[in-house]
């Protein structure tokens, strides 16, 4: 008589995401694929993945969905990041209460090597996996199938040992990194075609590791590891499948720490372009570029641009202060190289953005402004983030925190998203909390004025007066927060200021009333900086309101700038009109119509703006002439227009430096000479303008 085969046990894998429609999780794919490749585990377990939206009201729905799928589970495993830690541990608690014998396993960057804090916070967790989890998870499942036999022999985990008063977390010896990544099966292999075609986000690795040791970053700072590569044949097969199945709104994100660091990355870029062309697909493409940009990245960016896949190139600097960079163990791009790269990318028509972090140890408000100015002067687009302390980085070491007098508060990383919380640095030895708040207010003004509504005017004023653009934006900080007359705009700005001090004061009703939709709406991907979006929406939807606001802002600037070389309002009106035209492009994203705006700009001003990359590179006219015409929103920007979504998406892209309104616009214009020939006004010819004029004469 033969016995009945043992029933296969349930294994559930959970990734609580904040991204709407992201039903694909590479982490869950890796774990299941590695487990399914093991004969014993595959024979003893069935697998179910749960990549579910969990923000706001969706959290309870996610809990209900996962709990309803459990039927005497052997294991429920969570991938944990700072943005889903609280939700993941709460769902784990509910699972333990319902299924006491179920093993709860967690892993991920936020909890690796944090065993003391984690087990104190969530004693219902059974096992913590440190670092790379795929092969450790297979060993764990084998142990669980044999009633936890051999747990102590599994490297790289912490689990509860002992009983009663003797129960303690026990950590095994550290696990070695996976040397041969070919031993880790593809995460795509366990996903059906229908699953891949339905996700809004597909994250894929072609390599692992980061050779840098930045003190603020977990990617390399905690590991400083050699870059290991997945086999090229597998990369090619996976990317072919991903592109072939991509839905119309999918973003393909390469999770490599430094895309472009390896020679073969050029081949991968070319492969992506060829695949999209062959399958007739247009995907949003996102990468993290190599920290020190080089000629290889120029070549790759040109390939992606020509193939319609261009992701703006990141020129990562974080700070331009030598003191800050030394404390961060960061080797930065040399200033001359940074300026040269900005120029070369601009000449190729390739957008860039520069990551800056406000609040790094050693930074002062003035050194921070100097770094932003360096970026703007080179024609770059600064993208500024507050400093978030990530577990397992050098910034979190007790000695460093003491020496630098770090003051940390549990705050939203994005003040308009109260669920996205973390440990934010609000003061240190060279930055008071008042300085920190002032820097965040400056950041909002940079978004509104330099990136969106007064870009041309600020560029011209800086050239005319010698006042740095960051100083102009700092003057506009006073205007926005204390002198703006539009009541709704003033209320939104004041709420931005208050919410950074006390997140509970966030006025979601105010923001929702302006934008006409729920803040945190799960149907909108990548929505961030909602105060900025709401102010922009308030101003651009009404042309008269926008014109009044810009006039008042310029008047405020002119009243604050010292000296006798100030341009008159008549001199400035042509660039203000260009900025009003930029506002009409934003307005089109609301209305869905091709909005128009007229302009008339002298050649010398045109040269300055073209040299800085604020307008299309082919927009010019003879010296002494004027360019007259109309700015129109192009049809390609309005293709598949969706109310609310299109505006929100465009604003996020503008904030990230991925788009520029006037560079996106269509110009219908002619060059004309004024009725009375005039000599260009000297103060309108900045150094950049003179250089452009000399080239035209040559």
């Amino acid at each position: 008589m033969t016995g009945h085969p043992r029933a296969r046990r349930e294994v559930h894998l959970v990734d609580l995401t904040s991204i709407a429609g992201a039903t694909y999780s590479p982490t869950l794919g890796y774990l299941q694929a590695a487990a399914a490749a093991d004969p014993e585990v595959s024979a003893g377990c069935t697998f179910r993945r749960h990549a579910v939206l969990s923000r706001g009201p969706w959290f309870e729905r996610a809990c209900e969905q996962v709990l309803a799928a459990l039927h005497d589970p052997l294991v429920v495993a969570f991938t944990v990041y700072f943005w889903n830690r609280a939700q993941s541990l709460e769902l784990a608690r509910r699972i333990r209460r319902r299924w006491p014998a179920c093993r709860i396993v967690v892993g991920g960057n936020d909890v690796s090597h944090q065993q003391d804090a984690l087990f104190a916070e969530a004693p219902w967790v059974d096992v913590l996996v440190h670092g790379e989890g795929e092969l450790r998870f297979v060993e764990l499942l084998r142990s669980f199938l044999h009633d936890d036999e051999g747990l102590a022999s599994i490297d790289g985990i912490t689990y509860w040992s002992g009983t009663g008063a003797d129960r303690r977390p026990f950590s095994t010896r550290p696990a070695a990194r996976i040397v041969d990544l070919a031993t880790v099966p593809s995460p795509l292999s366990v996903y059906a075609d229908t699953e891949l075609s339905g996700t809004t986000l597909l994250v894929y690795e072609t390599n692992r590791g980061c050779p840098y040791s930045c003190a603020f970053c977990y990617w390399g700072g905690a590991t400083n590891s050699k870059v290991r590569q997945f086999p090229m044949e597998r990369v090619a097969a996976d990317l072919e499948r991903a592109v072939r199945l991509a839905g119309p709104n999918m973003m393909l994100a390469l999770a490599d720490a430094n895309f472009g660091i390896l020679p073969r990355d050029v081949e991968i870029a070319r492969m992506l372009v060829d695949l999209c062309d062959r399958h007739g697909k247009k995907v949003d493409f996102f990468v993290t570029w190599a920290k020190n940009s080089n000629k290889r990245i120029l070549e790759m960016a040109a390939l992606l641009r020509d193939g319609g896949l261009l992701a703006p190139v990141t020129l990562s600097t974080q700070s331009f202060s030598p003191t800050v960079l030394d404390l961060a163990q960061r080797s930065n791009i040399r200033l001359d190289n940074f300026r040269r790269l900005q120029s070369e990318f601009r000449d190729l028509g390739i957008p860039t953005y520069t990551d800056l972090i406000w609040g790094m140890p050693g930074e002062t408000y003035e050194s921070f402004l100097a770094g932003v100015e360096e970026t703007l002067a080179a024609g770059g687009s600064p993208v500024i983030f507050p400093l978030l302390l990530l577990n397992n980085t050098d910034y979190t070491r007790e000695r460093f925190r003491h020496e630098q007098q770090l003051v940390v508060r549990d705050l939203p990383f994005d003040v308009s998203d109260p669920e996205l919380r973390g440990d934010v640095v609000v003061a240190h030895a060279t930055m008071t909390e008042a300085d920190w708040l002032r820097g965040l207010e400056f950041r909002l003004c940079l978004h509104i004025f330099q990136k969106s509504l007064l870009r041309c005017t600020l560029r011209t004023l800086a050239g005319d007066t010698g006042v740095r653009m960051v100083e102009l934006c700092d003057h506009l900080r006073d205007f926005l927060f204390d002198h703006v007359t539009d009541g709704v705009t003033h209320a939104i700005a004041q709420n931005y200021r208050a919410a950074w001090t006390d997140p509970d004061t966030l006025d979601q009703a105010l923001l929702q009333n302006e934008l006409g939709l729920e803040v945190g709406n799960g149907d909108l991907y990548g929505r961030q900086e909602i105060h900025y979006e709401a102010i922009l929406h308030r101003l651009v939807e009404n042309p008269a309101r926008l014109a009044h606001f810009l006039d008042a802002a310029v008047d405020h600037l002119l009243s604050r700038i010292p000296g006798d070389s100030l341009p008159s309002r008549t001199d400035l009106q042509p660039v203000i009109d260009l900025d009003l035209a930029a506002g009409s492009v934003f307005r089109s994203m609301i209305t869905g119509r091709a909005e128009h705006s007229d302009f008339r700009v002298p050649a010398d001003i045109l040269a300055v703006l073209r040299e800085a990359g604020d307008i299309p590179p082919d927009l010019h006219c003879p010296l002494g002439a004027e360019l007259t015409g109309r700015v129109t929103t192009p049809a390609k920007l309005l293709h598949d227009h969706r109310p609310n979504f299109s505006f929100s998406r465009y604003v996020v892209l503008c904030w990230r430096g991925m788009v520029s309104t006037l560079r996106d616009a269509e110009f219908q214009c002619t060059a004309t000479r004024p009725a009375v020939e005039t000599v260009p006004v000297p103060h309108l010819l900045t150094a950049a303008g003179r250089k452009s004029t000399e080239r035209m004469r040559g």
Side-chain angles (χ1 to χ4, degrees), residues 7-63:
R8 298 167 75 191
R9 302 297 306 278
E10 287 185 6
V11 175
H12 292 262
L13 310 171
V14 182
D15 185 349
L16 298 181
T17 177
S18 62
I19 300 174
T23 53
Y24 166 83
S25 166
T27 305
L28 305 191
Y30 276 126
L31 293 175
Q32 182 179 346
D38 182 86
E40 180 184 0
V41 172
S42 180
C45 301
T46 61
F47 296 89
R48 178 84 177 267
R49 300 180 308 276
H50 307 272
V52 287
L53 184 67
S54 63
R55 59 182 300 129
W58 288 272
F59 173 64
E60 290 299 331
R61 301 178 202 176
C63 290

Side-chain angles (χ1 to χ4, degrees), residues 288-352:
T288 300
W289 291 93
K291 302 298 179 286
N292 288 314
S293 298
N294 50 44
K295 290 292 185 183
R296 185 183 300 136
I297 290 179
L298 277 168
E299 178 185 357
M300 294 166 62
L303 277 170
L304 294 169
R305 176 205 58 194
D306 294 343
L309 270 179
L310 179 62
V313 175
T314 317
L315 296 174
S316 294
T317 58
Q318 277 69 55
S319 174
F320 284 89
S321 164
T323 300
V324 172
L325 296 173
D326 182 59
L327 288 171
Q329 303 171 43
R330 166 94 179 159
S331 175
N332 219 345
I333 305 173
R334 295 195 318 272
L335 274 179
D336 58 344
N337 194 33
F338 175 79
R339 294 164 184 159
R340 178 184 56 78
L341 285 167
Q342 286 282 18
S343 177
E344 290 178 341
F345 281 122
R346 189 165 60 248
D347 289 346
L348 289 170
I350 295 170
T352 67

